[in-house]
mmCIF file of all heavy atoms in Angstrom:
data_model
loop_
_atom_site.group_PDB
_atom_site.id
_atom_site.type_symbol
_atom_site.label_atom_id
_atom_site.label_comp_id
_atom_site.label_asym_id
_atom_site.label_seq_id
_atom_site.Cartn_x
_atom_site.Cartn_y
_atom_site.Cartn_z
ATOM 1 N N ARG Q 85 -8.700 8.762 -64.526
ATOM 2 C CA ARG Q 85 -7.576 8.631 -65.470
ATOM 3 C C ARG Q 85 -7.087 9.998 -65.939
ATOM 4 O O ARG Q 85 -5.882 10.196 -66.141
ATOM 5 C CB ARG Q 85 -8.006 7.786 -66.667
ATOM 6 C CG ARG Q 85 -8.153 6.313 -66.346
ATOM 7 C CD ARG Q 85 -8.359 5.505 -67.615
ATOM 8 N NE ARG Q 85 -8.522 4.082 -67.326
ATOM 9 C CZ ARG Q 85 -8.752 3.162 -68.255
ATOM 10 N NH1 ARG Q 85 -8.832 3.514 -69.539
ATOM 11 N NH2 ARG Q 85 -8.901 1.893 -67.923
ATOM 12 N N LEU Q 86 -8.012 10.927 -66.094
ATOM 13 C CA LEU Q 86 -7.634 12.282 -66.487
ATOM 14 C C LEU Q 86 -6.727 12.907 -65.429
ATOM 15 O O LEU Q 86 -5.699 13.519 -65.752
ATOM 16 C CB LEU Q 86 -8.891 13.140 -66.670
ATOM 17 C CG LEU Q 86 -8.691 14.619 -67.026
ATOM 18 C CD1 LEU Q 86 -8.078 14.775 -68.411
ATOM 19 C CD2 LEU Q 86 -10.017 15.371 -66.943
ATOM 20 N N THR Q 87 -7.073 12.728 -64.176
ATOM 21 C CA THR Q 87 -6.271 13.271 -63.083
ATOM 22 C C THR Q 87 -4.917 12.589 -63.001
ATOM 23 O O THR Q 87 -3.884 13.245 -62.777
ATOM 24 C CB THR Q 87 -7.023 13.124 -61.750
ATOM 25 O OG1 THR Q 87 -8.279 13.796 -61.857
ATOM 26 C CG2 THR Q 87 -6.221 13.726 -60.601
ATOM 27 N N GLN Q 88 -4.891 11.276 -63.171
ATOM 28 C CA GLN Q 88 -3.616 10.553 -63.158
ATOM 29 C C GLN Q 88 -2.699 11.038 -64.285
ATOM 30 O O GLN Q 88 -1.483 11.191 -64.099
ATOM 31 C CB GLN Q 88 -3.879 9.050 -63.282
ATOM 32 C CG GLN Q 88 -4.477 8.443 -62.020
ATOM 33 C CD GLN Q 88 -4.978 7.028 -62.216
ATOM 34 O OE1 GLN Q 88 -5.216 6.590 -63.338
ATOM 35 N NE2 GLN Q 88 -5.145 6.298 -61.118
ATOM 36 N N ALA Q 89 -3.295 11.289 -65.462
ATOM 37 C CA ALA Q 89 -2.506 11.801 -66.587
ATOM 38 C C ALA Q 89 -1.972 13.203 -66.284
ATOM 39 O O ALA Q 89 -0.837 13.539 -66.640
ATOM 40 C CB ALA Q 89 -3.365 11.827 -67.853
ATOM 41 N N LEU Q 90 -2.780 14.013 -65.615
ATOM 42 C CA LEU Q 90 -2.350 15.365 -65.228
ATOM 43 C C LEU Q 90 -1.178 15.292 -64.249
ATOM 44 O O LEU Q 90 -0.174 15.995 -64.417
ATOM 45 C CB LEU Q 90 -3.523 16.113 -64.587
ATOM 46 C CG LEU Q 90 -3.202 17.468 -63.935
ATOM 47 C CD1 LEU Q 90 -2.755 18.480 -64.981
ATOM 48 C CD2 LEU Q 90 -4.406 17.989 -63.158
ATOM 49 N N ILE Q 91 -1.285 14.436 -63.242
ATOM 50 C CA ILE Q 91 -0.222 14.288 -62.243
ATOM 51 C C ILE Q 91 1.064 13.807 -62.908
ATOM 52 O O ILE Q 91 2.158 14.318 -62.632
ATOM 53 C CB ILE Q 91 -0.658 13.323 -61.124
ATOM 54 C CG1 ILE Q 91 -1.811 13.929 -60.329
ATOM 55 C CG2 ILE Q 91 0.513 13.001 -60.207
ATOM 56 C CD1 ILE Q 91 -2.451 12.962 -59.350
ATOM 57 N N THR Q 92 0.937 12.835 -63.811
ATOM 58 C CA THR Q 92 2.117 12.318 -64.512
ATOM 59 C C THR Q 92 2.790 13.408 -65.329
ATOM 60 O O THR Q 92 4.017 13.548 -65.325
ATOM 61 C CB THR Q 92 1.713 11.148 -65.437
ATOM 62 O OG1 THR Q 92 1.174 10.089 -64.634
ATOM 63 C CG2 THR Q 92 2.913 10.625 -66.209
ATOM 64 N N ALA Q 93 1.991 14.208 -66.036
ATOM 65 C CA ALA Q 93 2.546 15.278 -66.867
ATOM 66 C C ALA Q 93 3.283 16.320 -66.023
ATOM 67 O O ALA Q 93 4.306 16.869 -66.442
ATOM 68 C CB ALA Q 93 1.430 15.947 -67.672
ATOM 69 N N LEU Q 94 2.774 16.583 -64.824
ATOM 70 C CA LEU Q 94 3.391 17.592 -63.958
ATOM 71 C C LEU Q 94 4.643 17.069 -63.247
ATOM 72 O O LEU Q 94 5.565 17.827 -62.977
ATOM 73 C CB LEU Q 94 2.377 18.067 -62.909
ATOM 74 C CG LEU Q 94 1.222 18.938 -63.397
ATOM 75 C CD1 LEU Q 94 0.166 19.076 -62.310
ATOM 76 C CD2 LEU Q 94 1.712 20.314 -63.842
ATOM 77 N N THR Q 95 4.662 15.774 -62.930
ATOM 78 C CA THR Q 95 5.722 15.240 -62.066
ATOM 79 C C THR Q 95 6.767 14.396 -62.786
ATOM 80 O O THR Q 95 7.797 14.069 -62.187
ATOM 81 C CB THR Q 95 5.104 14.370 -60.946
ATOM 82 O OG1 THR Q 95 4.415 13.250 -61.537
ATOM 83 C CG2 THR Q 95 4.116 15.176 -60.122
ATOM 84 N N ALA Q 96 6.523 14.041 -64.058
ATOM 85 C CA ALA Q 96 7.451 13.147 -64.769
ATOM 86 C C ALA Q 96 8.822 13.800 -64.926
ATOM 87 O O ALA Q 96 8.917 14.953 -65.373
ATOM 88 C CB ALA Q 96 6.888 12.788 -66.132
ATOM 89 N N PRO Q 97 9.912 13.098 -64.570
ATOM 90 C CA PRO Q 97 11.258 13.654 -64.751
ATOM 91 C C PRO Q 97 11.624 13.723 -66.223
ATOM 92 O O PRO Q 97 11.304 12.819 -67.000
ATOM 93 C CB PRO Q 97 12.151 12.667 -64.002
ATOM 94 C CG PRO Q 97 11.375 11.392 -63.934
ATOM 95 C CD PRO Q 97 9.928 11.776 -63.928
ATOM 96 N N THR Q 98 12.269 14.808 -66.621
ATOM 97 C CA THR Q 98 12.733 14.983 -68.003
ATOM 98 C C THR Q 98 14.197 15.415 -67.966
ATOM 99 O O THR Q 98 14.786 15.575 -66.893
ATOM 100 C CB THR Q 98 11.904 16.058 -68.737
ATOM 101 O OG1 THR Q 98 12.235 17.350 -68.188
ATOM 102 C CG2 THR Q 98 10.406 15.821 -68.579
ATOM 103 N N ALA Q 99 14.762 15.638 -69.142
ATOM 104 C CA ALA Q 99 16.149 16.105 -69.218
ATOM 105 C C ALA Q 99 16.309 17.477 -68.569
ATOM 106 O O ALA Q 99 17.409 17.869 -68.171
ATOM 107 C CB ALA Q 99 16.586 16.153 -70.678
ATOM 108 N N HIS Q 100 15.204 18.218 -68.455
ATOM 109 C CA HIS Q 100 15.236 19.564 -67.874
ATOM 110 C C HIS Q 100 14.696 19.573 -66.441
ATOM 111 O O HIS Q 100 14.428 20.638 -65.896
ATOM 112 C CB HIS Q 100 14.416 20.524 -68.740
ATOM 113 C CG HIS Q 100 14.853 20.561 -70.169
ATOM 114 N ND1 HIS Q 100 16.039 21.136 -70.572
ATOM 115 C CD2 HIS Q 100 14.271 20.067 -71.286
ATOM 116 C CE1 HIS Q 100 16.161 21.012 -71.889
ATOM 117 N NE2 HIS Q 100 15.113 20.356 -72.337
ATOM 118 N N GLY Q 101 14.534 18.374 -65.854
ATOM 119 C CA GLY Q 101 13.943 18.293 -64.526
ATOM 120 C C GLY Q 101 12.451 18.018 -64.624
ATOM 121 O O GLY Q 101 11.955 17.603 -65.667
ATOM 122 N N ARG Q 102 11.731 18.276 -63.552
ATOM 123 C CA ARG Q 102 10.281 18.072 -63.566
ATOM 124 C C ARG Q 102 9.595 19.395 -63.260
ATOM 125 O O ARG Q 102 10.204 20.306 -62.692
ATOM 126 C CB ARG Q 102 9.863 16.995 -62.581
ATOM 127 C CG ARG Q 102 10.046 17.359 -61.120
ATOM 128 C CD ARG Q 102 9.724 16.167 -60.231
ATOM 129 N NE ARG Q 102 10.754 15.145 -60.293
ATOM 130 C CZ ARG Q 102 10.557 13.873 -60.026
ATOM 131 N NH1 ARG Q 102 9.360 13.441 -59.701
ATOM 132 N NH2 ARG Q 102 11.556 13.012 -60.075
ATOM 133 N N LEU Q 103 8.329 19.504 -63.623
ATOM 134 C CA LEU Q 103 7.623 20.758 -63.401
ATOM 135 C C LEU Q 103 7.361 20.976 -61.908
ATOM 136 O O LEU Q 103 7.837 21.942 -61.315
ATOM 137 C CB LEU Q 103 6.304 20.753 -64.177
ATOM 138 C CG LEU Q 103 6.429 20.863 -65.700
ATOM 139 C CD1 LEU Q 103 5.081 20.635 -66.372
ATOM 140 C CD2 LEU Q 103 6.987 22.233 -66.093
ATOM 141 N N TYR Q 104 6.595 20.066 -61.302
ATOM 142 C CA TYR Q 104 6.228 20.228 -59.894
ATOM 143 C C TYR Q 104 6.024 18.859 -59.253
ATOM 144 O O TYR Q 104 5.766 17.874 -59.945
ATOM 145 C CB TYR Q 104 4.918 21.026 -59.742
ATOM 146 C CG TYR Q 104 5.022 22.467 -60.168
ATOM 147 C CD1 TYR Q 104 4.600 22.878 -61.428
ATOM 148 C CD2 TYR Q 104 5.542 23.434 -59.299
ATOM 149 C CE1 TYR Q 104 4.699 24.198 -61.826
ATOM 150 C CE2 TYR Q 104 5.643 24.761 -59.692
ATOM 151 C CZ TYR Q 104 5.217 25.133 -60.951
ATOM 152 O OH TYR Q 104 5.322 26.443 -61.333
ATOM 153 N N GLU Q 105 6.109 18.831 -57.929
ATOM 154 C CA GLU Q 105 5.598 17.700 -57.164
ATOM 155 C C GLU Q 105 4.134 17.998 -56.849
ATOM 156 O O GLU Q 105 3.759 19.162 -56.655
ATOM 157 C CB GLU Q 105 6.385 17.515 -55.860
ATOM 158 C CG GLU Q 105 7.841 17.108 -56.057
ATOM 159 C CD GLU Q 105 7.988 15.700 -56.585
ATOM 160 O OE1 GLU Q 105 6.998 14.933 -56.531
ATOM 161 O OE2 GLU Q 105 9.086 15.357 -57.066
ATOM 162 N N VAL Q 106 3.309 16.973 -56.805
ATOM 163 C CA VAL Q 106 1.874 17.144 -56.577
ATOM 164 C C VAL Q 106 1.463 16.374 -55.332
ATOM 165 O O VAL Q 106 1.885 15.237 -55.127
ATOM 166 C CB VAL Q 106 1.067 16.661 -57.800
ATOM 167 C CG1 VAL Q 106 -0.423 16.675 -57.501
ATOM 168 C CG2 VAL Q 106 1.365 17.540 -59.013
ATOM 169 N N ASP Q 107 0.634 16.995 -54.499
ATOM 170 C CA ASP Q 107 0.138 16.354 -53.278
ATOM 171 C C ASP Q 107 -1.393 16.404 -53.301
ATOM 172 O O ASP Q 107 -1.983 17.484 -53.302
ATOM 173 C CB ASP Q 107 0.674 17.092 -52.052
ATOM 174 C CG ASP Q 107 0.446 16.327 -50.758
ATOM 175 O OD1 ASP Q 107 -0.477 15.488 -50.725
ATOM 176 O OD2 ASP Q 107 1.166 16.573 -49.781
ATOM 177 N N MET Q 108 -2.016 15.224 -53.327
ATOM 178 C CA MET Q 108 -3.477 15.135 -53.378
ATOM 179 C C MET Q 108 -4.056 14.594 -52.062
ATOM 180 O O MET Q 108 -5.222 14.192 -52.003
ATOM 181 C CB MET Q 108 -3.884 14.195 -54.521
ATOM 182 C CG MET Q 108 -3.428 14.624 -55.897
ATOM 183 S SD MET Q 108 -4.491 15.886 -56.602
ATOM 184 C CE MET Q 108 -5.969 14.939 -56.907
ATOM 185 N N ARG Q 109 -3.275 14.578 -50.994
ATOM 186 C CA ARG Q 109 -3.699 13.911 -49.762
ATOM 187 C C ARG Q 109 -4.764 14.661 -48.979
ATOM 188 O O ARG Q 109 -5.322 14.121 -48.016
ATOM 189 C CB ARG Q 109 -2.484 13.670 -48.868
ATOM 190 C CG ARG Q 109 -1.515 12.623 -49.409
ATOM 191 C CD ARG Q 109 -0.288 12.505 -48.535
ATOM 192 N NE ARG Q 109 0.481 13.740 -48.517
ATOM 193 C CZ ARG Q 109 1.543 13.939 -47.754
ATOM 194 N NH1 ARG Q 109 1.948 12.987 -46.926
ATOM 195 N NH2 ARG Q 109 2.201 15.083 -47.813
ATOM 196 N N LEU Q 110 -5.088 15.888 -49.347
ATOM 197 C CA LEU Q 110 -6.092 16.643 -48.611
ATOM 198 C C LEU Q 110 -7.518 16.318 -49.060
ATOM 199 O O LEU Q 110 -8.476 16.831 -48.489
ATOM 200 C CB LEU Q 110 -5.834 18.151 -48.751
ATOM 201 C CG LEU Q 110 -4.595 18.670 -48.020
ATOM 202 C CD1 LEU Q 110 -4.350 20.130 -48.336
ATOM 203 C CD2 LEU Q 110 -4.716 18.472 -46.519
ATOM 204 N N ARG Q 111 -7.663 15.454 -50.065
ATOM 205 C CA ARG Q 111 -9.004 15.061 -50.513
ATOM 206 C C ARG Q 111 -9.672 14.185 -49.445
ATOM 207 O O ARG Q 111 -8.997 13.667 -48.548
ATOM 208 C CB ARG Q 111 -8.920 14.300 -51.835
ATOM 209 C CG ARG Q 111 -8.262 12.934 -51.757
ATOM 210 C CD ARG Q 111 -8.115 12.358 -53.150
ATOM 211 N NE ARG Q 111 -7.651 10.975 -53.160
ATOM 212 C CZ ARG Q 111 -6.391 10.586 -53.142
ATOM 213 N NH1 ARG Q 111 -5.426 11.504 -53.082
ATOM 214 N NH2 ARG Q 111 -6.074 9.301 -53.181
ATOM 215 N N PRO Q 112 -11.006 14.012 -49.514
ATOM 216 C CA PRO Q 112 -11.695 13.165 -48.534
ATOM 217 C C PRO Q 112 -11.071 11.777 -48.422
ATOM 218 O O PRO Q 112 -10.779 11.141 -49.436
ATOM 219 C CB PRO Q 112 -13.119 13.087 -49.089
ATOM 220 C CG PRO Q 112 -13.303 14.393 -49.811
ATOM 221 C CD PRO Q 112 -11.954 14.666 -50.428
ATOM 222 N N TYR Q 113 -10.848 11.335 -47.205
ATOM 223 C CA TYR Q 113 -10.241 10.042 -46.862
ATOM 224 C C TYR Q 113 -8.764 9.956 -47.268
ATOM 225 O O TYR Q 113 -8.169 8.883 -47.210
ATOM 226 C CB TYR Q 113 -11.017 8.875 -47.490
ATOM 227 C CG TYR Q 113 -12.475 8.836 -47.115
ATOM 228 C CD1 TYR Q 113 -13.466 9.140 -48.046
ATOM 229 C CD2 TYR Q 113 -12.872 8.494 -45.827
ATOM 230 C CE1 TYR Q 113 -14.814 9.109 -47.707
ATOM 231 C CE2 TYR Q 113 -14.215 8.464 -45.479
ATOM 232 C CZ TYR Q 113 -15.178 8.771 -46.418
ATOM 233 O OH TYR Q 113 -16.517 8.746 -46.073
ATOM 234 N N GLY Q 114 -8.150 11.045 -47.682
ATOM 235 C CA GLY Q 114 -6.726 11.069 -47.976
ATOM 236 C C GLY Q 114 -6.331 10.106 -49.080
ATOM 237 O O GLY Q 114 -7.044 9.945 -50.066
ATOM 238 N N GLN Q 115 -5.187 9.453 -48.899
ATOM 239 C CA GLN Q 115 -4.653 8.571 -49.939
ATOM 240 C C GLN Q 115 -5.546 7.365 -50.211
ATOM 241 O O GLN Q 115 -5.496 6.784 -51.301
ATOM 242 C CB GLN Q 115 -3.253 8.088 -49.549
ATOM 243 C CG GLN Q 115 -2.195 9.182 -49.656
ATOM 244 C CD GLN Q 115 -0.822 8.698 -49.214
ATOM 245 O OE1 GLN Q 115 -0.657 8.177 -48.117
ATOM 246 N NE2 GLN Q 115 0.169 8.852 -50.075
ATOM 247 N N SER Q 116 -6.369 6.975 -49.243
ATOM 248 C CA SER Q 116 -7.256 5.832 -49.446
ATOM 249 C C SER Q 116 -8.569 6.223 -50.110
ATOM 250 O O SER Q 116 -9.377 5.351 -50.451
ATOM 251 C CB SER Q 116 -7.549 5.141 -48.103
ATOM 252 O OG SER Q 116 -8.202 6.041 -47.216
ATOM 253 N N GLY Q 117 -8.796 7.517 -50.300
ATOM 254 C CA GLY Q 117 -10.049 7.983 -50.889
ATOM 255 C C GLY Q 117 -10.021 7.990 -52.400
ATOM 256 O O GLY Q 117 -8.973 7.820 -53.038
ATOM 257 N N ILE Q 118 -11.194 8.193 -52.992
ATOM 258 C CA ILE Q 118 -11.320 8.305 -54.441
ATOM 259 C C ILE Q 118 -10.478 9.486 -54.922
ATOM 260 O O ILE Q 118 -10.503 10.561 -54.314
ATOM 261 C CB ILE Q 118 -12.802 8.510 -54.835
ATOM 262 C CG1 ILE Q 118 -13.622 7.279 -54.430
ATOM 263 C CG2 ILE Q 118 -12.953 8.781 -56.327
ATOM 264 C CD1 ILE Q 118 -15.116 7.496 -54.533
ATOM 265 N N LEU Q 119 -9.732 9.290 -56.006
ATOM 266 C CA LEU Q 119 -8.824 10.330 -56.481
ATOM 267 C C LEU Q 119 -9.573 11.604 -56.853
ATOM 268 O O LEU Q 119 -9.134 12.711 -56.531
ATOM 269 C CB LEU Q 119 -8.030 9.810 -57.690
ATOM 270 C CG LEU Q 119 -6.873 10.691 -58.182
ATOM 271 C CD1 LEU Q 119 -5.836 10.894 -57.084
ATOM 272 C CD2 LEU Q 119 -6.231 10.078 -59.419
ATOM 273 N N VAL Q 120 -10.714 11.445 -57.544
ATOM 274 C CA VAL Q 120 -11.520 12.601 -57.942
ATOM 275 C C VAL Q 120 -12.977 12.346 -57.548
ATOM 276 O O VAL Q 120 -13.711 11.682 -58.284
ATOM 277 C CB VAL Q 120 -11.450 12.867 -59.461
ATOM 278 C CG1 VAL Q 120 -12.027 14.249 -59.787
ATOM 279 C CG2 VAL Q 120 -10.041 12.760 -59.968
ATOM 280 N N PRO Q 121 -13.423 12.844 -56.420
ATOM 281 C CA PRO Q 121 -14.812 12.623 -56.015
ATOM 282 C C PRO Q 121 -15.770 13.505 -56.815
ATOM 283 O O PRO Q 121 -15.382 14.562 -57.326
ATOM 284 C CB PRO Q 121 -14.818 13.011 -54.540
ATOM 285 C CG PRO Q 121 -13.683 13.972 -54.397
ATOM 286 C CD PRO Q 121 -12.650 13.574 -55.412
ATOM 287 N N SER Q 122 -17.010 13.053 -56.924
ATOM 288 C CA SER Q 122 -18.031 13.864 -57.589
ATOM 289 C C SER Q 122 -18.459 14.992 -56.658
ATOM 290 O O SER Q 122 -18.253 14.930 -55.437
ATOM 291 C CB SER Q 122 -19.243 13.009 -57.947
ATOM 292 O OG SER Q 122 -19.900 12.583 -56.760
#
């Protein structure tokens, strides 16, 4: 949840645009893998 909140804060559109796009697909198993592995 901490990571999801971080991604939302970085990518959420605002009146001034958004900060950044985020790509987490290089983690183990890619998009199907655990968002934050131990």
